[in-house]
Amino acid sequence: RYNMTETDLCNMALSHIGEGLITSLDDDNETARICNQYYHHARRLVLSQYMWGFARRVEPLANIQVETYTGGYRHTYLYPEHALRIYRIIQDTELRNGLYTNYSVKDIPNYEVFNLDTSTKAIGTNITRAYVDYVFDVNDPDIFPPIFVEALTRFLAASLAQSLVGNMEMYRAQFQIYQGALLEAKNIVASERQFDLELPVGYIESRRAT
């Protein structure tokens, strides 16, 4: 079984813009250094842009006692260490009673995030025995699904086109394909419920143009 690596993903992005490949992110050349500079930022940003199922976690929050300002909320919890984005804070009874299935990301937040000090991030909420539904900072490329690989490498290619090549037309083309990949991901989720899949308009054409 082939194991995907960070270098593989960077090379895919480089191929999208017609640049030479690298053997490692630790290579002593400008291409590798720029890939190393942009890769993890791109990965975290693309993870946080959509409800990727492989990166979603639901787990209990750790309650803490604080004396600093927490917005008047009754409870303060530690912010999950590897969270990139919080979708919702959930009452534990919702989980136990099977009431929590899905929701709109446009739901009114029932919490607020605070920085207690320079190294401690916390969540204030009125929910007792709270759980958190959030984006986990997944960094193992070998578990990335194909549509996420497409989105990540296209976003990374757009960044590299701007910084490594300095070509704004190439940047716009790659960014357009990245946006199309996000739309396709949403359609894939919809197809799992409705058993049909419609690719976003312009996605195939934008791929052919590169």
Side-chain angles (χ1 to χ4, degrees):
R1 180 177 177 274
Y2 178 75
N3 295 318
M4 182 77 72
T5 68
E6 295 173 357
T7 301
D8 293 330
L9 294 171
C10 288
N11 279 334
M12 290 176 68
L14 290 167
S15 296
H16 292 332
I17 59 174
E19 289 294 299
L21 308 184
I22 60 175
T23 59
S24 169
L25 287 175
D26 296 323
D27 287 350
D28 188 18
N29 58 62
E30 182 183 16
T31 301
R33 284 193 291 271
I34 292 178
C35 285
N36 197 28
Q37 177 183 354
Y38 279 92
Y39 172 76
H40 287 292
H41 169 74
R43 176 182 58 78
R44 293 187 183 102
L45 188 145
V46 176
L47 278 170
S48 66
Q49 290 298 298
Y50 181 65
M51 287 183 181
W52 305 100
F54 75 97
R56 195 169 175 182
R57 302 286 188 275
V58 177
E59 62 185 35
L61 286 169
N63 204 332
I64 56 175
Q65 299 296 321
V66 296
E67 296 179 359
T68 55
Y69 174 75
T70 56
Y73 292 103
R74 292 195 298 269
H75 303 284
T76 305
Y77 300 93
L78 280 177
Y79 195 92
E81 181 180 2
H82 299 291
L84 295 178
R85 175 184 174 185
I86 290 178
Y87 292 132
R88 192 181 177 197
I89 305 300
I90 315 155
Q91 177 69 48
D92 66 334
T93 53
E94 288 186 73
L95 295 174
R96 290 201 308 268
N97 298 333
L99 301 177
Y100 180 68
T101 54
N102 212 332
Y103 60 93
S104 168
V105 293
K106 296 180 182 179
D107 284 351
I108 298 174
N110 55 358
Y111 66 91
E112 194 169 345
V113 176
F114 302 90
N115 288 316
L116 296 179
D117 52 46
T118 56
S119 61
T120 307
K121 203 171 181 180
I123 300 168
T125 180
N126 290 328
I127 294 179
T128 304
R129 297 185 299 278
Y131 279 68
V132 61
D133 184 350
Y134 71 99
V135 180
F136 186 83
D137 187 9
V138 180
N139 57 23
D140 181 3
D142 203 36
I143 66 173
F144 293 165
I147 189 59
F148 179 80
V149 169
E150 174 73 355
L152 173 56
T153 58
R154 293 296 181 172
F155 182 85
L156 185 57
S159 300
L160 296 177
Q162 192 172 29
S163 299
L164 186 63
V165 184
N167 187 323
M168 289 304 297
E169 286 299 320
M170 189 179 293
Y171 163 82
R172 283 190 283 269
Q174 293 299 321
F175 192 79
Q176 181 181 359
I177 299 175
Y178 157 68
Q179 291 178 312
L182 290 183
L183 288 176
E184 185 177 355
K186 294 175 183 179
N187 282 343
I188 288 173
V189 170
S191 72
E192 291 174 346
R193 300 191 186 110
Q194 302 172 7
F195 304 100
D196 60 353
L197 172 63
E198 295 181 5
L199 291 178
V201 175
Y203 180 61
I204 298 298
E205 288 76 10
S206 63
R207 283 179 61 94
R208 290 172 178 168
T210 60

